[in-house]
């Protein structure tokens, strides 16, 4: 979450029952946390050179991103910003805390004040004081309030790269009141501008409509993190938050990997999937585009978020048509409220977990056998090749490191589990234990969630005594609990409405990083 | 140093004694750590939204940066890259470590192998296998070496966004040898390309020429960090490293703030300085531009690194001319080897230290009085306003936080030091101590440099017992020692050559951040 979501794609499909066709409108938003004014948060974020390079070479327009990218705020950030604006308004009424003027700044302040004195006695309507840094402007504000109360008004302005201060004479009481009203209106609309794309995402969440994505777990994480609230530390709270925000989610990759589809869909790579669902036994739906608001398949704008969202929608409808054709009697049109979709609803794929079909946002996650997984303890100097050689006679392993001296290993050949335990438990400088046994041996204090652990830490100010903490890894599945501790602050209930399908796709640096990691082999 | 230097400006001035004029050539380099191949380091770095926005609005071309930015490597990184390339070459000769093929990958590998079998028996010259991710390519390489040794050659290629594998039949032994020679040549030149701008910076360092910058401390830090070596943790080693790399450095800001110039130069802001040195008693030199290689003053390209470097050079020459005119008898031309420059040489300004004129790279730093500075201890709930109110009766303070409960404070009015100590040492929930006394009270273990502390930590694996560590701050000047522990790996001695002036200016996110921090007052 240190990386940024920088493009958000949205494609809206609406079904017309009379013509049995869809209309499609697609949007490609550049998203960037431009601080619109000094009160807005100024975000620091990470980048990875290879991802940036990749995107630039794919035609991603970074100048547009940084100059025109749409900002966003979580609800908490919006509240903070509003409060800060109100504090400023109060400061304008009540005055500022006094800052002593140092000997060094005194000559400049006195020079400015004497120019203001002259200006007040003159016929001039405006006086511009240039080369005025922010601290000097702050001091002049303070002096003006004491020396010429209700006589002049000061405003900061940027001119030719440098900051300057504009001095004007004050009007009648009514004029000043009207001016303050207008200023507050402007400040209010600036807060709305800073909320930016979050307003759209809140609308999408409030609509309760079906949200379709392709391999969307990481996208959802970024969407929630940037537009709604920080991600909870506990896994069950995370699932509850996602479900509360988006009560109807569908990941097309979950459909592709289900038993009914697995044989007809060989690769669920989005572009290949589009090819697959364009040919028999699948067929693409009839989609009418809206002028200037739609992509076409021939555009081939892969990696543009809006285009990816559009393709995802097309694939989804085609998969639905096929699903209907498998029923007896055949169902001619599968819409978003069809019960045929229920088996796929609110399930998300974790790409690297090959034997877990999905995580389930509303129930217990599948709990596949871990009988081929072992916990091992070995000398500190061991590297991947040492571990790997040990298991080569049994068909090899995948390794998930826990520390310098411990790891989980998963056998490639599950039928070798018995021999491994029998023969390797005799090796000298090396200890092996069944996954289930190791899990059971971890005492309760180690099974706390990260969040609970943090709270405990701050209460006792001591680190837990155990050195080894199981890390999230491809063989270490967090346990699902029924604890629904999280609740929406607003407490709104979602209506399940029938209507257009919403497809979201986020383009983020982390995802491209995974791409890069997968291609480090030569 | 988590931020990046993204533009490097260089302006070279050469003096022609016959015409008593200068020629100027300027360069503006976009710098970005594009990983040119998979062996090159893939850098992660921080950005700050406000800086990025500021630069984008100043016309900085981020698309150019990310697509065409020149990469760089430190010497260590270059060595590592060369080693990795050699390892690959060895792997091509000796073969790869075997990876077991999982049941899941087997069908695809077998399919590819049978296509290769067909290809070998055919007349075709080339076979392209598409949709081949990096791991699959790695497995095919491995199979090819076993099944068809010295019969086929595999090469990875990117086509239409996807990765594919190109299979070719192998030529005669001589042809293959020649091919390998060419491949190694290409790999060698790729390493050179990755060294990129570092090659230029090494040339500049090796030249021993005078390097002029304006407020250049942070620029030097970034230059050393990106192009040469990580910054040392100890202050004295840092000074020694900078001096060893660049034996003749001149910061125009040090000249501006020297007693001879302070009265004529009111602001040392670069653009204002240019205005100042364009008028009497200063005068700009006659500078001839080189076609397509020079800026002119009227260009007004502030914040473009190359332009800033050019302006710095102009200001430097004008300041030198004035320096010559102050001598008796007058010195008409002050060149870079003039002894008149000695008082300013190898001194750098720290912007926020108002009472320390400079840090001295080759000697002891100035050691100004700290009699107006106090160490204070206070309740945890105290905030800035609590501390500030306490000292308001004595003319106010600047605060430099050490921890939640301790800080150094510097009085604005030095003459109040006596009263402060007398009156505030009686306040109940608050402790005050002279700066010198507090420094003396810190025992030796706390006075270790950060580097020494780290080494000590790893030796004993225990944290130091004291809770409070003095942090670098505006009143806590690190002590200069004569310890010249650092030596260049190459051990080259620099010749002091007379020649053109080199002016470097780096544009970095951190600097712009400071700009932003200074303007948070309204």
């Amino acid at each position: 979450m240190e990386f940024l979501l920088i493009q958000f794609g949205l494609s809206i499909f609406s079904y017309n029952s009379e013509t049995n066709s869809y209309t499609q409108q697609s949007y490609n938003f550049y998203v960037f946390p431009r601080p619109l004014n000094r009160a807005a948060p100024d975000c620091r974020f990470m980048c990875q050179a290879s991802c940036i390079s990749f995107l630039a070479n794919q035609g991603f327009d970074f100048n547009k991103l940084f100059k025109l990218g749409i900002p966003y705020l979580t609800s908490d950030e919006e509240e903070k910003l509003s409060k800060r604006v109100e504090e400023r308004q109060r400061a304008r009424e009540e005055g500022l805390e006094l800052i002593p003027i140092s000997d060094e700044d005194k000559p400049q302040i006195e020079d400015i004040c004497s120019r203001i004195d002259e200006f007040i006695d003159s016929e001039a309507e405006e006086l511009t004081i240039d080369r005025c840094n922010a601290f000097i402007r702050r001091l002049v504000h303070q002096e003006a309030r004491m020396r010429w109360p209700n006589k002049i008004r000061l405003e900061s302005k940027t001119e030719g790269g440098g900051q300057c201060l504009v001095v004007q004479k004050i009007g009648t009481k009514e004029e000043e009141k009207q001016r303050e009203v207008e200023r507050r209106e402007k400040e209010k609309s600036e807060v709305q501008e800073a909320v930016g794309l979050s307003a759209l995402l809140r609308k999408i969440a409030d609509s309760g409509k079906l949200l379709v994505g392709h391999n969307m777990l990481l996208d959802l994480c970024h969407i929630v993190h940037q537009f709604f609230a920080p991600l909870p530390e506990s896994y069950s709270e995370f699932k509850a938050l996602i479900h509360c925000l988006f009560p109807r989610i569908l990941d097309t990759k979950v459909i592709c990997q289900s038993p009914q589809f697995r044989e007809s869909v060989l690769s669920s790579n989005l572009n290949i999937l589009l090819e697959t669902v364009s040919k028999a036994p699948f067929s693409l739906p009839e989609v009418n585009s809206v002028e200037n608001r739609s992509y076409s398949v021939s555009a081939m704008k892969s990696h543009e978020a809006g285009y990816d969202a559009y393709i995802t929608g097309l694939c989804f409808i085609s998969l639905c048509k096929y699903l209907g054709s498998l029923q007896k009697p055949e169902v001619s049109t599968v819409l978003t409220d069809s019960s045929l979709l229920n088996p796929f609803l609110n399930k998300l794929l974790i790409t690297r977990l090959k034997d877990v079909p999905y995580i389930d946002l509303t129930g217990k996650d599948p709990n596949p056998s871990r009988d081929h997984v072992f916990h091992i303890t070995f000398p500190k100097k061991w590297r991947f090749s040492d571990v790997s050689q040990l298991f080569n006679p049994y068909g090899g392993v995948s390794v998930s490191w826990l520390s310098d001296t411990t790891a989980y290993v998963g056998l490639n050949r599950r039928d070798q589990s018995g021999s491994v335990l029998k023969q390797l438990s005799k090796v000298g400088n090396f200890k092996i234990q069944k996954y289930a046994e190791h899990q059971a041996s971890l005492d309760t204090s180690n099974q706390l969630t990260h969040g609970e652990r943090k709270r405990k830490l701050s209460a006792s100010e001591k680190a837990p005594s155990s050195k080894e903490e199981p890390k999230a890894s491809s063989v270490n599945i967090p346990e699902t609990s029924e604890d629904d501790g999280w609740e929406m602050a607003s407490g709104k209930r979602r209506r399940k409405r029938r209507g257009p399908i919403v497809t979201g796709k986020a383009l983020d640096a982390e995802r491209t990083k995974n791409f890069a990691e997968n291609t480090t082999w030569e």
Side-chain angles (χ1 to χ4, degrees), chain A residues 355-384:
Chain A
D355 61 357
V356 180
Y358 50 76
I359 65 173
D360 190 337
L361 291 174
T362 55
K364 279 212 171 185
D365 291 331
N367 190 14
S369 160
R370 290 280 174 256
D371 292 345
H372 65 299
V373 176
F374 297 95
H375 179 267
I376 57 173
T377 310
F378 42 83
K380 204 167 186 171
K381 61 179 181 191
W382 277 28
R383 310 193 66 194
F384 175 78

Side-chain angles (χ1 to χ4, degrees), chain A residues 22-91:
Chain A
Y22 297 81
T23 54
Q24 174 244 134
Q25 287 169 271
S26 297
Y27 301 84
N28 188 49
F29 300 102
Y30 279 76
V31 187
F32 190 68
R34 278 187 303 137
L36 292 176
N37 60 53
R38 292 207 193 102
D42 186 5
C43 168
R44 285 187 176 193
F45 56 93
M46 288 285 276
C47 296
Q48 183 156 334
S50 56
C51 309
I52 299 269
S53 258
F54 173 79
L55 290 175
N57 288 322
Q58 292 283 325
F60 188 94
D61 187 344
F62 282 95
N63 291 335
K64 183 173 168 182
L65 176 71
F66 298 144
K67 267 194 251 181
L68 303 170
I70 306 167
Y72 51 86
L73 293 179
T74 64
S75 311
D76 276 2
E77 286 168 340
E78 181 187 354
E79 208 176 298
K80 261 188 216 158
L81 179 59
S82 298
K83 267 193 195 150
R84 244 177 280 169
V85 168
E86 281 165 27
E87 273 165 29
R88 272 194 197 190
Q89 292 169 351
R90 221 172 303 130

Side-chain angles (χ1 to χ4, degrees), chain A residues 271-284 297 314 318:
Chain A
N271 287 314
I272 301 175
L273 180 61
L274 179 64
E275 275 179 46
T276 306
V277 301
S278 307
K279 292 178 295 204
F282 301 94
S283 67
L284 287 180
V297 180
L314 280 185
S318 179

Side-chain angles (χ1 to χ4, degrees), chain A residues 1 74 76 217 220-246 361 449-455 472 478 483-489:
Chain A
M1 293 305 110
T74 64
D76 276 2
L217 175 60
L220 276 172
C221 290
H222 279 288
I223 287 170
V224 171
H225 174 73
Q226 290 193 198
F227 303 118
F228 294 95
L231 294 181
E233 287 173 336
S234 118
Y235 177 59
S236 59
E237 283 174 27
F238 165 75
K239 295 210 302 185
L241 171 57
I242 301 267
H243 185 57
C244 182
L245 287 171
F246 303 110
L361 291 174
T449 64
H450 182 55
E452 288 167 327
R453 192 173 291 132
K454 262 186 100 174
R455 261 171 270 141
D483 164 27
D484 251 356
W486 192 89
E487 264 183 73
M488 276 280 279

Side-chain angles (χ1 to χ4, degrees), chain A residues 129-271:
Chain A
I129 299 160
D130 55 2
R131 289 177 203 173
C132 228
N133 74 33
F135 186 66
I136 294 294
R137 293 201 302 276
R138 169 69 171 78
L139 295 178
V140 174
H141 267 281
Q142 171 178 313
E143 289 304 300
R145 181 172 282 271
M146 291 190 295
R147 301 192 189 194
W148 311 283
N150 302 317
K151 268 201 170 164
I152 55 162
R153 177 173 50 237
L154 302 169
E155 244 165 90
S156 303
K157 223 168 101 181
T158 311
E159 217 169 56
Q163 287 284 339
C164 57
L165 199 57
V166 179
V167 190
Q168 289 172 322
K169 289 166 191 163
I170 261 177
T172 66
K173 230 179 182 176
E174 281 66 38
E175 279 169 3
E176 288 310 303
K177 220 173 186 176
Q178 181 56 28
R179 186 178 283 272
E180 179 63 19
V181 169
E182 281 163 18
R183 192 164 176 181
R184 292 192 176 202
E185 277 303 315
K186 198 181 147 224
E187 285 170 339
K188 202 173 157 189
S189 78
E190 278 173 357
V191 172
Q192 281 318 300
E193 208 190 329
V195 169
L197 205 66
S198 300
L200 172 65
L201 269 295
R202 290 175 198 171
K203 281 251 188 249
I204 292 174
D206 283 341
S207 76
K209 286 190 197 301
L210 183 68
L211 190 72
V212 179
H214 185 75
N215 200 10
M216 70 196 294
L217 175 60
L218 199 54
D219 295 339
L220 276 172
C221 290
H222 279 288
I223 287 170
V224 171
H225 174 73
Q226 290 193 198
F227 303 118
F228 294 95
L231 294 181
E233 287 173 336
S234 118
Y235 177 59
S236 59
E237 283 174 27
F238 165 75
K239 295 210 302 185
L241 171 57
I242 301 267
H243 185 57
C244 182
L245 287 171
F246 303 110
R248 287 168 65 74
I249 283 178
L250 208 144
D251 190 336
T252 41
K253 207 148 178 170
V254 169
I255 304 185
C256 293
Q257 305 212 345
S258 70
Q260 293 138 290
F261 287 84
R262 206 176 295 157
E263 277 180 27
S264 342
V265 180
L266 290 173
S267 163
S268 58
N269 167 302
L270 192 54
N271 287 314

